[in-house]
Amino acid sequence: MDIKNKLYQGQGIHVITALFTVIQGVTKVLLIKRKNEPFLGEWVLTGGALYNNEDLETGALREIAEKTGITDVKIKQFKAFGKVDRSPVIRMVAIGFIGLIDSKRVNILRETKNTSNADWFAIDQIPPLGFDHEEILQEAIIELRKEIVKTNILKSLFPSGVTLPELQKTYEAILNKKFDRRNFRKKILNLDLIEDTNQVDKFEGNKPAKVYKFKDQIEDKDIFL
Amino acid sequence: MDIKNKLYQGQGIHVITALFTVIQGVTKVLLIKRKNEPFLGEWVLTGGALYNNEDLETGALREIAEKTGITDVKIKQFKAFGKVDRSPVIRMVAIGFIGLIDSKRVNILRETKNTSNADWFAIDQIPPLGFDHEEILQEAIIELRKEIVKTNILKSLFPSGVTLPELQKTYEAILNKKFDRRNFRKKILNLDLIEDTNQVDKFEGNKPAKVYKFKDQIEDKDIFL
DNA sequence: TCAAAAGTGTTCGTCTTACACCCATGA
DNA sequence: TCATGGGTGTAAGACGAACACTTTTGA
């Protein structure tokens, strides 16, 4: 390989995470306002250039930690984005991740060295985004919907456990669909993603709900049986 | 973005395809013997450096065309591989693709400018591979198994149609599993991937089989109903 | 005792699995 | 007419959808 070959010289890698949360039944994504060129002043997803000394996931987690202070997110790589002109500076390929965090755990850094603002936006009320982040976000939403029915990715949203009614509201928010309570319970328990703790969650004035937690390990289902 | 920053200067992108075929009930992958450093003389998957003027898929297809002469393969991006030390020259991130081709259509170029040999290898008899291609191949096999039950990716293997007994042998080879003939028919037809043509395929000495073809468009199934 | 929210079971239709016989062809 | 391989149906169990009443709690 000739590292001076003009055909492929001067390339770079982005690691970009669509970081979701669910607040009061609304699915939201964290957006950051840029403080530098290119796309100065525009909103983008969490992310940036991958460093030479870190793996893809490590880089994505570093960017998340810089913007949110959160260090224990589960993220999942879902697709690479590499249109020739997706970045105006040099040829950049973006590796896209999704992740979920409990928004109550985050104190969003409103201003950092590279960003002038940050906030949660409902996924159906997204402003114009810089780079190709609108495309990345749309694919991220699809991936998120696939992941929550197959993996324990929602564990990051409920680190201390969740009741089935809460969980149902979360699924309904992310999938944008309503479920019958009885059928939801059967289905979600059949997915083998969560397990009963022996605690109950007391609210005022109504029957306490059982608390479940996401398993640490999910076994893969057989395909095509 | 400071393009001279040492933290992320001097990166590059690989596009790598695990190109599969099925020959007489055996799933095989195309491997190439390298003629240059690094990994001179070692076997690797089809691929190479992405050029600055091409999208990811375009680059992967160019590499396939250079090695096989085939230009109408369906490929699917499935994962990026970015361990810090996966390439010994400069920091390279690989974008992994899978694809299928009918081996009868290929005259493998045994010798090209960059490669000294090329051949099909059964996926359970793979020699040591250069770079991180063993890892890429293992994940590619898993992806292939998922794809053939959800998409028309097998269309490239049977451009002129296929009978159900042929198709069953193919699924059995790729999934490494046997099926009951009657149940296989029901299941595959239910997947809505193929449709009846009104032709039959005559062999000698037995009942002619109906010919089906893969649809061009597969509609996505609802998740979680 | 009431309001609010959680918990639970049954029926029906559809899909999954296991399993055996008939059909069309060329030799 | 026979050997080879292709095509089809049915019964039993599992899963998905629709649907209503009972339980627990605090006010």
Side-chain angles (χ1 to χ4, degrees), chain A residues 165 181-182 185-186 205-207 209-210 225:
Chain A
R181 199 162 72 244
R182 291 155 292 190
R185 301 175 83 86
K186 274 181 279 189
N206 51 31
K207 184 170 176 177
K210 284 198 239 182
L225 197 62

Side-chain angles (χ1 to χ4, degrees), chain B residues 50-76:
Chain B
L50 175 73
Y51 294 171
N52 284 321
N53 66 352
E54 61 191 4
D55 293 345
L56 296 173
E57 186 165 314
T58 309
L61 290 171
R62 172 183 49 75
E63 293 281 344
I64 293 167
E66 285 176 7
K67 261 69 169 202
T68 67
I70 297 281
T71 58
D72 59 348
V73 201
K74 263 182 215 299
I75 60 176
K76 192 205 170 228

Side-chain angles (χ1 to χ4, degrees), chain B residues 80-122:
Chain B
F81 297 82
K83 291 213 178 95
V84 167
D85 58 357
R86 63 170 293 283
S87 166
V89 185
I90 61 170
R91 176 67 190 280
M92 299 288 285
V93 169
I95 314 300
F97 291 81
I98 57 171
L100 279 152
I101 51 176
D102 180 356
S103 63
K104 292 193 291 292
R105 298 175 62 215
V106 183
N107 265 319
I108 296 170
L109 299 178
R110 295 285 167 183
E111 173 124 20
T112 71
K113 185 160 68 73
N114 296 309
T115 67
S116 64
N117 201 355
D119 214 341
W120 295 107
F121 286 76

